[in-house]
Amino acid sequence: MRTFFAKNSSYDNETVSSDLLSSLNESQQAAAQHFEGPALVIAGAGSGKTRTVVHRIAYLMETYGVVPQQILAVTFTNKAAGEMKERVEHLIGPEGRDVWVSTFHSACLRILRTYGELIGLKPGFVIYDDTDQLDVLKEVLETVRGIEEANPRVLRALIDRSKSNLWGPEMLAQEGERQLGNMISGVPIELLVEAYHRYEMRLRKANAVDFNDILGRTVELFSNHHDVLERVQQRAVFIHVDEYQDTNHVQYQLTQQLASKNRNLMVVGDPDQSIYAFRGADVRNILDFQQDFHDAEVYRLELNYRSVGSVIKLANTLIVQNEGRLDKDLKPVKGDGEMVKIYRATDHRSEADFVARQVERLLAARDFSYNDFAVLYRTNSQSRVLEEALRRASIPAKIVGGVGFYDRREVKDILSYAKAALNPADDVAWKRILNRPKRGVGKTSEENLAAWASRHNARFYDALKNAEEVLKGTPAVKKILEFMDFMDELMDAATTLEAAQFLKLIFDSSGYMQMLKDEASFEAQARIENLEELLNAVLEWQEEGGGSISEFLDEAALMASVDDRAVKAVNDEVPDEAVTLMTLHNAKGLEFPVVFLVGMEENLIPHRSSTASLADIEEERRLLYVGITRAQEELMLVHCESRMSFGRTEIARPSRFLEDIPKGMLSEIDIMGQELADASRLSKFSRNVWQAPSAPLPKDNKSESASLASFKGGEHVSHPRFGKGTVVGVSGDGAKAEITVIFKEAGAKRLLLKYANLSPA
C-alpha cells in the first residue's frame, strides 16, 4: 500500500522524461530511480551525490506523482540546503519550492514553533546563542559552591556533549562517570551535574532553548506525543539525509523517528569522509545502517568526476587500510594526470618556501590563477610560516575558516600582557588582560575602575594600583592586588629578559596556558598550539638578530596590520585572486586544481592528540583522505626533517600514513619541482618513508635486538594475554623503549618493548 498522495490518480512507471536521467551515470540512475523502502547511497568523493538526490526528488514527482509537500531533504549547513533547494527548483520548476529542503536545526525549529507548547515551550520562546549560553553559565557557576571559579567553557562543552547524546542531568550523573571519569578538568562531575541542572532550570524560567535543545526537545516532543510525530510523518513521507556519516546520536534518533512509519528513508554519505567525531559525529550511524534496516537497498557511487587518476589511486591505497568502512572503489573519469609528488623539506621554513616557489613555477608554466591553489594543514598554528613565506614572495593569500595568525584571540591576549608590562598607559591592553584568565573581577568592578580613571583623568593602570580605595574592600580587591603583584614582576622582567624567555614567563605565570589546558576542548587545544607557534616565531626572530620583547611587538604589529588588511580584503572579495590556506577539516566539500598537503609527519597527521585508539587513528586517516581528494589536477605532499615545537627544534618523523603508499606511486622532487631520478640522492631518511611492508617483528622479543625500528605503526600483532591488536605508537629507546597497542578486547596498552612478547597477528 502506498503511503503518499499522488498528484494524479493514475501514472505509469515507464513514462518518465528521458531527459531527467540522461545526465546521470548508471549508478546514479539506479539510486535516483529508487522508489519505496530504505536505501543507503555510498557516495564517494566527487561522485555527484547532490545531483543524484536532486534527480531522485524529481523522479519521485515525475514518475510516481509524489506531491512535493511530502518530500523532505535534510543536510547540515544552510549553504548546502540553499544550494540543493536551488537545484531542485531549477530541475523541477516552481513546484520545487514546496519540497521541504532544510538543515536538521531549521526543520526542528519549525516543528517546535508549531507544537512546542506541548512540552512547555511558550509561544515566542528564544534561542540562546553561544554568547548567551556562556553568560548564563557564568551566573550559574557562581551559585554552585565549590566550582565558582570553574571555566564556563568547560561546562558548556560538557552540556553540549550531553545534549548530543540526549543526556539530561540525571542521565549525565549515571553515564558521566562511566564514560568521562569522576573529574573533568579538575572539577568533580557531581558538581558539574548540579550546574547542568541549574542551567536547565534557568532556560525553562526564561522560556529559552540553546542550539542543541532544538534537536533534543524535538526528540522529546516526538517521544511523548505520537500524534505530533504522525502529523510530521505525513509531511515527510520520502526522506533524504545528506552527509549521513556526520550525524550524531540525537540526529540519528530524529531520523529513526521520522522514518519509523513509512520507512522511505534514503541516506547519502561516505564513511571514508567522516571527520567530525570531535563534534559528536558517529561514523557507526552509516556503518550500521543495514543493521537498522535489513531490507535496505545499497547503491555505490564510485565514479569520481573531480580528480585525475593518480590522485584517486593514492586515495584508494590509503583509505583501504581502515577497518571501519564500507567497501567502495573510486574510479576516475579523468585520465591518469601527473604523478603525485612528495617533497622532503629540511624544516618548516623550507616547507613554506617550497610552497611559494611551486606556486610561482606553476603560474609561469601553466594556465593557473592564484585561486587554483590550496595549502592544507592539520592545525591552524601551521599557517604562520606559510603566511610569511607567501607574503615575502608577494603572493596574495587568504585564510578560510580563520584569521591571520597575529589577529587570533589568544595571540592578541598574550601579546597584550607584554604591551601592558611595557606601557602602563596602554588602557586597551590592561583592560584586555585583567580577566583573562578569569580572576574573579566582575564586570561591575571593572566599570567602577574605568569610571574612577575617567573622573581623575588617570590611566586604568592607576585605578588598578588604587583598587583598595576605588572598590572599598569588595572581594575583587584581593584578586586585583594579586594580579598587580604579578604584573610588577612582569614589568621588571620586560627590560631584562630576552623576548622568548619573557614569553615563557607569561605562559607559566599568568595562568593563561593552564586555563586552556583545563578547558580540555578541541578549540582550546588549537589555541594552545597557536601559542606554541607564537613562541616558535619569537625564537626564529631572535635567531635572525632580534632581542627584546619590545622590538618583537613592533614586528608583530606590522604583521598584524598586514593580516588585518588581508582578512578585510577576503571579506570584501578583494583581491579577486588569492592562494587559499585552510585546515583539513575546513577543506571538506571544496576542490582545487592544485593542492599542497603540508606537515605530513607524526604528531601532525596523525595528530599527537589522536593516537590513543584505533578509532582516532582511522579518523585521522580519513581526514588525510579528505585532503587528498580535494585535488583536481595536481597534488603535492610535503614533510620536514625537523620542525620547531614549543621553542625546540626536533627531528620530525614522516607520517605513518606515508608508509601505506608504495614507492612507485609517488615522485620525489626537489625545491625547483624537478624529479629526483638518481636514487643515490635519496637519503636513508627519505627511503624509509616508503619501506613496505614494514620490517618483520623480532623473533626474540626479549633480546636487545628488539627495537622501535621494527615497528612503524599499523602492524597487526598478537599478545599472549591481551589478544590481537594494532600498533599505534612507539617511543623511547634501548631498555626503556615502549610500544602502544590498541587491543580489540583489552583496549589501549603501553608495554615495555623488551618484555612485550608480541608476535605477528
Side-chain angles (χ1 to χ4, degrees):
M1 173 181 262
R2 293 191 174 86
T3 55
F4 60 90
F5 300 105
K7 291 186 292 183
N8 303 300
S9 57
S10 63
Y11 54 85
D12 182 355
N13 285 354
E14 301 300 325
T15 59
V16 60
S17 170
S18 60
D19 292 337
L20 187 60
L21 302 179
S22 61
S23 63
L24 305 183
N25 63 43
E26 185 176 341
S27 298
Q28 291 170 334
Q29 287 184 15
Q33 292 178 85
H34 179 85
F35 183 30
E36 291 182 306
L40 168 63
V41 180
I42 305 171
S47 62
K49 65 182 177 63
T50 303
R51 170 187 288 270
T52 303
V53 171
V54 168
H55 279 74
R56 198 257 176 155
I57 291 171
Y59 194 83
L60 288 172
M61 294 172 61
E62 288 278 337
T63 308
Y64 298 107
V66 178
V67 295
Q69 292 85 354
Q70 291 188 314
I71 300 174
L72 170 63
V74 181
T75 188
F76 273 79
T77 67
N78 289 320
K79 180 180 178 182
E83 177 188 347
M84 183 177 289
K85 192 168 186 66
E86 183 178 319
R87 291 172 71 167
V88 168
E89 291 180 23
H90 178 76
L91 186 63
I92 300 173
E95 228 181 345
R97 296 172 189 166
D98 294 326
V99 175
W100 191 3
V101 182
S102 175
T103 64
F104 272 106
H105 286 86
S106 294
C108 288
L109 182 58
R110 178 174 169 180
I111 293 165
L112 289 178
R113 290 292 183 199
T114 305
Y115 302 106
E117 284 188 87
L118 294 172
I119 54 171
L121 290 175
K122 299 174 184 176
F125 66 83
V126 297
I127 303 168
Y128 280 178
D129 61 18
D130 288 349
T131 302
D132 298 328
Q133 195 178 6
L134 278 177
D135 288 342
V136 174
L137 289 173
K138 289 173 185 176
E139 295 175 4
V140 166
L141 285 171
E142 292 175 357
T143 71
V144 182
R145 189 171 182 178
I147 57 172
E148 297 90 341
E149 297 300 313
N151 190 330
R153 294 179 183 275
V154 173
L155 180 56
R156 183 177 68 178
L158 177 65
I159 291 174
D160 287 348
R161 178 171 178 174
S162 297
K163 291 189 176 185
S164 293
N165 284 293
L166 293 173
W167 296 348
E170 294 77 14
M171 185 63 73
L172 175 60
Q174 296 173 26
E175 296 288 336
E177 185 170 339
R178 183 175 65 84
Q179 296 195 25
L180 306 174
N182 58 7
M183 298 279 285
I184 298 176
S185 298
V187 180
I189 195 166
E190 60 266 21
L191 294 182
L192 292 172
V193 168
E194 176 61 24
Y196 182 11
H197 175 73
R198 297 188 187 191
Y199 169 73
E200 289 294 281
M201 295 291 289
R202 290 288 300 272
L203 288 183
R204 299 295 196 274
K205 183 178 179 181
N207 192 33
V209 296
D210 60 30
F211 196 64
N212 285 292
D213 277 330
I214 295 173
L215 305 187
R217 298 301 300 274
T218 305
V219 171
E220 176 190 346
L221 174 68
F222 288 162
S223 298
N224 296 329
H225 299 275
H226 293 285
D227 56 327
V228 174
L229 175 59
E230 289 178 359
R231 288 178 211 165
V232 177
Q233 287 171 335
Q234 291 173 5
R235 178 66 176 86
V237 177
F238 290 89
I239 304 169
H240 309 75
V241 181
D242 194 14
E243 303 287 7
Y244 194 63
Q245 78 279 353
D246 293 333
T247 52
N248 60 23
H249 182 65
V250 65
Q251 290 159 342
Y252 168 81
Q253 287 295 334
L254 277 167
T255 303
Q256 294 293 309
Q257 287 176 320
L258 289 172
S260 61
K261 179 180 180 181
N262 300 312
R263 302 183 77 254
N264 297 323
L265 171 64
M266 174 178 280
V267 301
V268 185
D270 182 5
D272 291 339
Q273 297 186 74
S274 179
I275 60 173
Y276 296 122
F278 67 95
R279 296 180 186 169
D282 189 346
V283 69
R284 292 175 300 178
N285 291 347
I286 191 168
L287 294 178
D288 296 343
F289 184 79
Q290 290 172 272
Q291 295 181 28
D292 293 333
F293 297 91
H294 295 285
D295 57 337
E297 295 286 344
V298 179
Y299 304 93
R300 287 176 169 80
L301 307 185
E302 297 178 310
L303 288 182
N304 177 282
Y305 293 88
R306 176 187 298 154
S307 306
V308 294
S310 59
V311 171
I312 296 303
K313 186 178 180 181
L314 180 71
N316 286 339
T317 300
L318 177 77
I319 201 62
V320 76
Q321 306 296 324
N322 272 12
E323 294 181 6
R325 64 188 302 266
L326 299 174
D327 287 342
K328 179 182 85 280
D329 184 23
L330 276 186
K331 303 176 182 65
V333 173
K334 296 180 178 179
D336 288 341
E338 295 195 18
M339 284 185 69
V340 175
K341 300 176 177 64
I342 187 166
Y343 176 70
R344 176 173 51 88
T346 55
D347 58 25
H348 55 293
R349 286 173 287 191
S350 171
E351 175 183 64
D353 289 339
F354 168 79
V355 170
R357 188 165 296 190
Q358 293 309 304
V359 170
E360 292 175 327
R361 179 182 70 82
L362 289 170
L363 281 172
R366 306 267 294 277
D367 187 24
F368 286 131
S369 71
Y370 288 122
N371 289 338
D372 293 329
F373 297 89
V375 188
L376 310 183
Y377 37 80
R378 178 61 176 85
T379 69
N380 262 314
S381 62
Q382 292 172 256
S383 75
R384 180 187 64 86
V385 287
L386 293 162
E387 293 174 61
E388 293 174 1
L390 294 174
R391 188 181 298 120
R392 286 194 300 271
S394 299
I395 296 173
K398 62 182 177 182
I399 299 175
V400 173
V403 297
F405 182 79
Y406 290 99
D407 262 344
R408 293 171 189 169
R409 184 179 75 190
E410 58 279 7
V411 174
K412 291 174 72 73
D413 285 349
I414 291 299
L415 292 183
S416 290
Y417 273 94
K419 292 177 182 178
L422 289 164
N423 182 8
D426 189 343
D427 284 1
V428 172
W430 281 94
K431 289 178 180 178
R432 186 179 185 100
I433 66 175
L434 176 60
N435 236 5
R436 295 187 186 178
K438 187 177 179 181
R439 293 188 173 85
V441 181
K443 186 176 180 181
T444 300
S445 295
E446 186 175 341
E447 289 173 349
N448 289 337
L449 290 164
W452 184 93
S454 178
R455 286 197 307 272
H456 291 79
N457 194 26
R459 303 168 297 187
F460 190 72
Y461 166 82
D462 297 319
L464 291 170
K465 278 290 189 181
N466 290 278
E468 289 180 286
E469 174 191 339
V470 177
L471 301 179
K472 301 186 185 305
T474 61
V477 171
K478 181 181 178 182
K479 301 294 185 182
I480 292 173
L481 293 179
E482 291 172 354
F483 168 67
M484 293 306 290
D485 286 343
F486 161 66
M487 289 304 298
D488 285 342
E489 295 176 10
L490 206 61
M491 293 169 82
D492 291 338
T495 56
T496 58
L497 296 180
E498 288 188 331
Q501 291 177 296
F502 183 76
L503 203 62
K504 286 182 180 178
L505 177 61
I506 297 174
F507 287 174
D508 295 339
S509 304
S510 67
Y512 197 96
M513 190 70 83
Q514 190 60 48
M515 171 192 73
L516 294 175
K517 291 177 181 177
D518 289 344
E519 185 175 330
S521 67
F522 182 84
E523 180 184 16
Q525 178 60 40
R527 296 190 186 283
I528 289 172
E529 290 167 352
N530 282 330
L531 292 182
E532 292 175 353
E533 187 60 27
L534 176 61
L535 179 60
N536 295 343
V538 171
L539 283 168
E540 289 175 7
W541 174 78
Q542 282 184 186
E543 290 173 3
E544 295 169 0
S548 70
I549 192 65
S550 176
E551 294 170 321
F552 180 78
L553 287 175
D554 290 341
E555 183 79 10
L558 294 174
M559 291 293 186
S561 178
V562 173
D563 288 345
D564 187 52
R565 288 197 298 273
V567 171
K568 287 181 180 177
V570 171
N571 291 338
D572 296 337
E573 298 183 357
V574 178
D576 292 331
E577 295 185 6
V579 173
T580 297
L581 308 179
M582 71 174 85
T583 64
L584 287 163
H585 283 102
N586 283 326
K588 177 85 180 294
L590 302 177
E591 57 187 37
F592 301 89
V594 182
V595 169
F596 298 89
L597 283 175
V598 300
M600 290 291 300
E601 299 140 34
E602 288 291 297
N603 296 325
L604 282 178
I605 182 76
H607 191 268
R608 61 190 176 191
S609 65
S610 299
T611 57
S613 70
L614 185 60
D616 286 343
I617 291 171
E618 293 207 344
E619 174 138 341
E620 291 288 295
R621 187 180 279 111
R622 293 194 293 267
L623 186 57
L624 179 56
Y625 175 84
V626 166
I628 289 170
T629 53
R630 300 310 96 195
Q632 295 172 297
E633 298 179 32
E634 289 208 31
L635 174 64
M636 299 189 196
L637 312 178
V638 191
H639 67 93
C640 298
E641 292 181 345
S642 65
R643 186 177 293 273
M644 186 171 282
S645 175
F646 206 60
R648 297 185 303 272
T649 298
E650 300 176 345
I651 298 298
R653 183 181 172 210
S655 169
R656 70 188 70 186
F657 298 143
L658 289 175
E659 297 169 13
D660 296 334
I661 304 169
K663 180 178 178 180
M665 202 174 286
L666 299 173
S667 170
E668 185 168 22
I669 59 176
D670 61 19
I671 187 70
M672 302 303 296
Q674 298 299 309
E675 184 173 6
L676 296 175
D678 184 358
S680 66
R681 296 172 67 186
L682 299 176
S683 68
K684 180 181 178 183
F685 178 90
S686 180
R687 287 199 303 273
N688 283 344
V689 173
W690 297 305
Q691 282 187 349
S694 300
L697 301 181
K699 295 180 180 178
D700 181 4
N701 289 286
K702 295 183 180 180
S703 71
E704 293 184 3
S705 64
S707 68
L708 295 188
S710 305
F711 301 93
K712 304 188 183 305
E715 295 88 356
H716 299 291
V717 296
S718 181
H719 186 274
R721 177 182 172 190
F722 302 128
K724 294 182 179 180
T726 302
V727 176
V728 298
V730 291
S731 62
D733 52 38
K736 295 182 179 180
E738 292 183 334
I739 185 166
T740 302
V741 182
I742 305 296
F743 294 99
K744 291 183 178 179
E745 299 297 333
K749 299 291 181 182
R750 191 178 226 176
L751 309 169
L752 277 173
L753 181 59
K754 187 175 181 180
Y755 303 106
N757 197 21
L758 298 173
S759 59

